[in-house]
Amino acid sequence: MLVLGIETTCDETAAAVIYRSSQGLGEIRSNVVLSQFAEHQLYGGVVPEIAARAHAELLDGVIRQVMDEASLNFSELDAVAAAAGPGLIGGVIVGLTTAKAIALVAAKPLIAVNHLEAHALTVRLTHRVAFPYLLLLISGGHTQLISVEDVGRYSYLGGTVDDAIGEAFDKTAKILGLPYPGGPAVERMAAAGNPKRFNLPRPMLRRPNPDFSLSGLKTAVRLEAERIAPLSDQDVADLCASFQAAIVDIIVDRLRVCSGMLRNSAWRSRALVVAGGVAANQTIRDALEAVAAETATPLVVPPPELCTDNGAMIAWAGAERLARGFVDELGASPRARWPLETTSAPA
Ligand code: KG4
Ligand code: ZN
């Protein structure tokens, strides 16, 4: 089947066409992501109104480009999928309404995809990973541990009680005067820094539930930065390295707790899958390799361009749902909040 996917939940205007074979193998026919970095950089973060307006201006062109690159017209598609949430509601409305218009005109089924479900299933587009698997989703908007049991069947095991990990990277970057998005900038600076210079807190360490808390860490970075101001380049590098070391310790500890929980469950995971923009961080990837080796579970990480937000993940989740007969009404609602564990049969 051929599915068009549309992603507009945050600051990426993205669309893609993917093919899914009857054996469940995936193939990307086209995939275009327009990042609105320039629009938001001035503000050090995503401004929802600016994002919604940019999606409205850019989306038609992006869809035309992916259809052209795949050499298809709408009548040749099997379905149209769009991220219906969770996310910034203005952008979600733009993407979902556009998908509905195409579905209506071309008389194709609409699939209203949960953005988190798309992150959870992306790995199956590029790797043969069987259910169940443990997903660590670490992005700018989300930090969650999920047992992925089947398409439409997810158990929430733990997550952040305040900031997401990517958000903590972005806020740390802002405090230290580094550019947005902060993750890559912090990682670059950390490479030249001393991770032991600052003893930053590791909230939630050794707690029995695999939850995360990041806001205290971010505040600690701010207090240290204020204490030693003005900051030299070396100070910034040392703060970045110390911050990243704390994040690594937190992730490793929370994953160990989570693996322990799963060992005694019916859904003992066959793989550890990592998704979300923070999975692009090499130091974090190395630490995850070590945890996976400890628990004798293979680590599978989708390619970096599929870890960050994109249209192919929405199209793929749409295809996986379509293959199970899950389609949505044209009246499907956009949702700012949409916990993954409530995503099962059609929304
Ligand atoms: O998945 P994503 O593209 O968008 C969301 O759904 O949030 O993730 C973006 C987040 C941003 O917070 C960004 O700073 C972070 O991923 N990120 C990184 C790295 N690359 C991107 N964080 C740490 N290290 C990186 N190399
Ligand atoms: Zn995302």
Side-chain angles (χ1 to χ4, degrees), residues 277-301:
V278 182
N281 184 293
Q282 193 55 48
T283 309
I284 294 176
R285 278 178 181 239
D286 293 345
L288 293 170
E289 280 291 358
V291 178
E294 246 173 50
T295 53
T297 317
L299 174 72
V300 192
V301 189

Short mmCIF file of all heavy atoms in Angstrom, two decimals, residues 277-301:
data_model
loop_
_atom_site.label_atom_id
_atom_site.label_comp_id
_atom_site.label_asym_id
_atom_site.label_seq_id
_atom_site.Cartn_x
_atom_site.Cartn_y
_atom_site.Cartn_z
N GLY A 277 14.37 13.20 18.81
CA GLY A 277 15.54 13.95 18.38
C GLY A 277 16.76 13.76 19.25
O GLY A 277 17.89 13.78 18.75
N VAL A 278 16.58 13.54 20.57
CA VAL A 278 17.73 13.41 21.47
C VAL A 278 18.52 12.13 21.16
O VAL A 278 19.71 12.03 21.47
CB VAL A 278 17.26 13.44 22.94
CG1 VAL A 278 18.43 13.34 23.90
CG2 VAL A 278 16.45 14.69 23.23
N ALA A 279 17.88 11.16 20.49
CA ALA A 279 18.58 9.92 20.13
C ALA A 279 19.71 10.19 19.14
O ALA A 279 20.54 9.32 18.88
CB ALA A 279 17.59 8.91 19.54
N ALA A 280 19.76 11.40 18.60
CA ALA A 280 20.87 11.77 17.70
C ALA A 280 22.17 11.99 18.49
O ALA A 280 23.25 12.03 17.90
CB ALA A 280 20.51 13.03 16.92
N ASN A 281 22.08 12.11 19.82
CA ASN A 281 23.25 12.43 20.65
C ASN A 281 24.15 11.20 20.83
O ASN A 281 23.73 10.16 21.34
CB ASN A 281 22.77 12.92 22.02
CG ASN A 281 23.88 13.36 22.92
OD1 ASN A 281 24.70 12.55 23.34
ND2 ASN A 281 23.94 14.64 23.19
N GLN A 282 25.41 11.33 20.39
CA GLN A 282 26.29 10.16 20.35
C GLN A 282 26.66 9.66 21.75
O GLN A 282 26.74 8.45 21.98
CB GLN A 282 27.56 10.49 19.54
CG GLN A 282 28.40 9.26 19.18
CD GLN A 282 27.61 8.18 18.44
OE1 GLN A 282 26.88 8.46 17.48
NE2 GLN A 282 27.71 6.92 18.90
N THR A 283 26.88 10.57 22.70
CA THR A 283 27.23 10.14 24.06
C THR A 283 26.08 9.34 24.68
O THR A 283 26.29 8.32 25.34
CB THR A 283 27.55 11.37 24.94
OG1 THR A 283 28.50 12.17 24.25
CG2 THR A 283 28.10 10.98 26.28
N ILE A 284 24.86 9.80 24.42
CA ILE A 284 23.69 9.09 24.93
C ILE A 284 23.57 7.72 24.24
O ILE A 284 23.32 6.71 24.88
CB ILE A 284 22.41 9.94 24.76
CG1 ILE A 284 22.51 11.18 25.65
CG2 ILE A 284 21.15 9.13 25.06
CD1 ILE A 284 21.36 12.17 25.52
N ARG A 285 23.79 7.71 22.93
CA ARG A 285 23.74 6.43 22.20
C ARG A 285 24.74 5.42 22.76
O ARG A 285 24.42 4.23 22.93
CB ARG A 285 24.07 6.63 20.72
CG ARG A 285 22.92 7.12 19.90
CD ARG A 285 23.40 7.34 18.48
NE ARG A 285 22.31 7.82 17.68
CZ ARG A 285 21.83 7.22 16.59
NH1 ARG A 285 22.36 6.10 16.15
NH2 ARG A 285 20.83 7.71 15.93
N ASP A 286 25.96 5.89 23.06
CA ASP A 286 26.99 4.98 23.60
C ASP A 286 26.53 4.39 24.93
O ASP A 286 26.71 3.21 25.20
CB ASP A 286 28.33 5.72 23.78
CG ASP A 286 28.94 6.14 22.44
OD1 ASP A 286 28.49 5.61 21.40
OD2 ASP A 286 29.84 6.99 22.43
N ALA A 287 25.92 5.24 25.77
CA ALA A 287 25.45 4.77 27.08
C ALA A 287 24.31 3.75 26.90
O ALA A 287 24.24 2.75 27.63
CB ALA A 287 24.97 5.95 27.91
N LEU A 288 23.46 3.99 25.92
CA LEU A 288 22.35 3.06 25.67
C LEU A 288 22.86 1.71 25.19
O LEU A 288 22.33 0.66 25.57
CB LEU A 288 21.39 3.66 24.63
CG LEU A 288 20.64 4.90 25.09
CD1 LEU A 288 19.90 5.56 23.93
CD2 LEU A 288 19.65 4.55 26.20
N GLU A 289 23.91 1.75 24.37
CA GLU A 289 24.55 0.50 23.92
C GLU A 289 24.98 -0.32 25.14
O GLU A 289 24.79 -1.54 25.19
CB GLU A 289 25.80 0.78 23.08
CG GLU A 289 25.60 1.16 21.64
CD GLU A 289 25.08 0.03 20.75
OE1 GLU A 289 24.89 -1.11 21.22
OE2 GLU A 289 24.83 0.33 19.57
N ALA A 290 25.57 0.36 26.11
CA ALA A 290 26.08 -0.32 27.29
C ALA A 290 24.93 -0.96 28.09
O ALA A 290 25.03 -2.11 28.52
CB ALA A 290 26.87 0.65 28.16
N VAL A 291 23.83 -0.22 28.26
CA VAL A 291 22.69 -0.77 29.01
C VAL A 291 22.10 -1.96 28.27
O VAL A 291 21.75 -2.99 28.87
CB VAL A 291 21.57 0.29 29.20
CG1 VAL A 291 20.38 -0.31 29.92
CG2 VAL A 291 22.10 1.47 29.97
N ALA A 292 21.97 -1.83 26.94
CA ALA A 292 21.40 -2.92 26.15
C ALA A 292 22.27 -4.18 26.30
O ALA A 292 21.76 -5.28 26.45
CB ALA A 292 21.29 -2.50 24.68
N ALA A 293 23.58 -3.98 26.27
CA ALA A 293 24.50 -5.12 26.40
C ALA A 293 24.33 -5.79 27.76
O ALA A 293 24.29 -7.02 27.86
CB ALA A 293 25.94 -4.66 26.21
N GLU A 294 24.19 -4.97 28.80
CA GLU A 294 23.99 -5.48 30.17
C GLU A 294 22.78 -6.40 30.25
O GLU A 294 22.79 -7.41 30.94
CB GLU A 294 23.62 -4.29 31.06
CG GLU A 294 24.57 -3.90 32.13
CD GLU A 294 24.09 -2.59 32.76
OE1 GLU A 294 22.90 -2.49 33.12
OE2 GLU A 294 24.91 -1.67 32.86
N THR A 295 21.70 -6.01 29.56
CA THR A 295 20.45 -6.75 29.67
C THR A 295 20.28 -7.72 28.50
O THR A 295 19.20 -8.29 28.34
CB THR A 295 19.25 -5.78 29.71
OG1 THR A 295 19.34 -4.90 28.58
CG2 THR A 295 19.25 -4.94 30.97
N ALA A 296 21.31 -7.88 27.71
CA ALA A 296 21.29 -8.81 26.56
C ALA A 296 20.09 -8.57 25.65
O ALA A 296 19.47 -9.50 25.15
CB ALA A 296 21.33 -10.25 27.05
N THR A 297 19.76 -7.30 25.46
CA THR A 297 18.65 -6.93 24.58
C THR A 297 19.24 -6.11 23.43
O THR A 297 19.98 -5.16 23.70
CB THR A 297 17.65 -6.02 25.33
OG1 THR A 297 17.45 -6.54 26.63
CG2 THR A 297 16.33 -5.90 24.61
N PRO A 298 18.95 -6.46 22.19
CA PRO A 298 19.51 -5.64 21.11
C PRO A 298 18.98 -4.21 21.15
O PRO A 298 17.81 -3.99 21.44
CB PRO A 298 19.07 -6.36 19.83
CG PRO A 298 18.07 -7.37 20.24
CD PRO A 298 18.17 -7.59 21.71
N LEU A 299 19.88 -3.26 20.88
CA LEU A 299 19.48 -1.85 20.79
C LEU A 299 19.24 -1.53 19.33
O LEU A 299 20.08 -1.82 18.48
CB LEU A 299 20.60 -0.96 21.33
CG LEU A 299 20.40 0.55 21.16
CD1 LEU A 299 19.32 1.06 22.09
CD2 LEU A 299 21.70 1.30 21.39
N VAL A 300 18.08 -0.97 19.03
CA VAL A 300 17.79 -0.58 17.65
C VAL A 300 17.43 0.90 17.62
O VAL A 300 16.53 1.33 18.34
CB VAL A 300 16.62 -1.41 17.07
CG1 VAL A 300 16.53 -1.20 15.57
CG2 VAL A 300 16.77 -2.88 17.39
N VAL A 301 18.16 1.64 16.83
CA VAL A 301 17.89 3.08 16.72
C VAL A 301 17.64 3.39 15.25
O VAL A 301 18.48 3.11 14.40
CB VAL A 301 19.09 3.91 17.23
CG1 VAL A 301 18.72 5.38 17.32
CG2 VAL A 301 19.58 3.40 18.57
#
